[in-house]
Amino acid sequence: MLNKRGGTESDLTVSSITPGSSPSALAPDFEGHGYYLAIGGAVAQHNWNHIMTILQDQKFKCKLMDCSEDLGMISIQGPASRSILQEVLGEDLSNEAFPFSTHKTVTAAGYKVRAIRLSFVGELGWELHMPREACVPVYRAVMRAGAKTGIANAGYRAIDSLSIEKGYRHWHADLRPDDTPLEAGLGFTCKLKSNTPFLGREALENQKSEGVRKRLVGFTIDEKVPLFGLEAIWRNGEAVGHIRRADFGFAINKTIAYGYIRDPHGGPVTSDFVRSGEYTLERMGVSYPAEAHLKSPFDPNNNRVKGIY
């Protein structure tokens, strides 16, 4: 979701839904079109305010409902996720029956849940959205089914590491209201090849025609260097930006960092400009040679979300 300047105000998941036959927070009753919005908890209020402002400004006939206190979510990710969840859900979870980026209402541990085939860590996996009272029973059923495959709990630092390996963007770090999708390498999310109107379209069209003046670039360092953000990015001996987010990539055994770079001479930052430079990242006065990447250094073709390992 963009603002009128083309900046990124929100990064969320939107699923089309139909009215529930037995209305609940998971499947509410409504008239017209309905959408289920899944938002990261830390930015929920910012998202709510942005959406409400647009609804009021545009005078849309739309009701926004907050069901956060009534629902919970468990994310099951990894090569064994399909076999584990087929046992828990009793559903066909093949690519043909349950493609990526689709959702179904299914049953788990005796409760109705919404299964969404999504991943924020770039692996084969599903999110299970469920009523609050179902969270513990469904979690226990998943852990029982996964015991034989070595299932384990994972925290947010694991998500940070796995997502940065795939080049997935984090809103608040890689994406902010002053960063556009074109600058962040997410132009494919905008319907610029169609006539579909959207907030910020004019700004993006102008930026595309003029060329972006900054671009998000990934970097890897062969040494195990702890980076925390705000480290300087040097290109051919000139400072061109700073790191926004960094972590260690355990799959490639390298430090990974992302930051926006600019041309010191004010020109557009093209792919050729990025590729033609030699880079170092400066941490506490020490410079480390770095390799620049315009695609993820790990699984760049996104095979793993398709279940191809």
Side-chain angles (χ1 to χ4, degrees):
M1 288 186 174
L2 309 181
N3 54 43
K4 63 183 179 181
R5 302 181 304 278
T8 310
E9 290 285 349
S10 171
D11 179 18
L12 48 75
T13 301
V14 183
S15 304
S16 298
I17 58 174
T18 55
S21 54
S22 300
S24 65
L26 189 67
D29 188 23
F30 56 86
E31 295 181 0
H33 300 285
Y35 304 94
Y36 180 80
L37 311 184
I39 299 168
V43 295
Q45 191 62 48
H46 176 85
N47 281 249
W48 176 277
N49 292 340
H50 176 66
I51 296 169
M52 285 298 295
T53 298
I54 302 306
L55 295 181
Q56 293 166 7
D57 288 349
Q58 300 292 333
K59 297 181 172 57
F60 287 136
K61 294 180 180 178
C62 180
K63 182 180 181 181
L64 194 61
M65 300 168 54
D66 184 0
C67 300
S68 303
E69 296 299 321
D70 302 316
L71 298 173
M73 189 272 281
I74 300 172
S75 182
I76 301 93
Q77 304 289 326
S81 59
R82 177 178 279 139
S83 60
I84 292 170
L85 288 177
Q86 281 183 164
E87 180 177 334
V88 174
L89 304 179
E91 293 276 336
D92 182 359
L93 302 182
S94 64
N95 288 333
E96 295 73 25
F98 207 139
F100 180 75
S101 199
T102 63
H103 65 97
K104 294 180 181 179
T105 301
V106 295
T107 301
Y111 293 89
K112 287 290 184 183
V113 305
R114 186 180 305 281
I116 307 179
R117 188 174 168 188
L118 287 175
S119 174
F120 194 56
V121 296
E123 299 289 327
L124 174 68
W126 281 260
E127 293 179 354
L128 301 183
H129 297 244
M130 68 206 78
R132 180 169 56 183
E133 62 272 14
C135 292
V136 172
V138 170
Y139 167 79
R140 288 174 174 167
V142 169
M143 296 304 284
R144 282 196 299 270
K148 55 182 174 289
T149 60
I151 196 171
N153 295 309
Y156 220 91
R157 290 306 301 271
I159 293 177
D160 286 344
S161 174
L162 290 165
S163 66
I164 203 170
E165 281 184 335
K166 293 302 183 71
Y168 287 5
R169 312 317 194 208
H170 272 209
W171 192 90
H172 86 274
D174 307 309
L175 288 170
R176 300 188 313 209
D178 55 338
D179 304 317
T180 74
L182 297 181
E183 295 167 342
L186 299 175
F188 66 90
T189 65
C190 302
K191 297 181 181 295
L192 292 174
K193 294 182 180 180
S194 73
N195 293 322
T196 304
F198 59 86
L199 188 64
R201 178 175 185 130
E202 183 179 352
L204 290 190
E205 288 176 334
N206 292 337
Q207 187 177 62
K208 187 174 183 179
S209 65
E210 296 172 359
V212 297
R213 302 294 165 168
K214 66 175 185 179
R215 185 183 290 256
L216 187 65
V217 177
F219 298 93
T220 53
I221 298 177
D222 291 339
E223 297 182 54
K224 294 182 178 180
V225 182
L227 302 179
F228 302 99
L230 298 181
E231 292 85 4
I233 304 169
W234 293 80
R235 176 186 181 275
N236 297 345
E238 293 183 285
V240 293
H242 65 267
I243 295 302
R244 289 276 190 93
R245 183 166 76 101
D247 215 304
F248 189 75
F250 290 88
I252 63 174
N253 200 37
K254 294 181 180 181
T255 298
I256 305 174
Y258 276 84
Y260 287 87
I261 69 170
R262 298 177 182 268
D263 180 350
H265 307 290
V269 182
T270 64
S271 298
D272 288 340
F273 177 86
V274 175
R275 295 192 186 100
S276 62
E278 293 187 3
Y279 296 90
T280 58
L281 304 184
E282 180 187 346
R283 175 187 180 272
M284 299 180 70
V286 180
S287 295
Y288 298 89
E291 181 179 355
H293 303 268
L294 288 171
K295 283 192 172 183
S296 165
F298 177 65
D299 189 27
N301 296 320
N302 288 316
N303 286 325
R304 296 167 81 96
V305 297
K306 305 168 191 171
I308 303 172
Y309 283 86

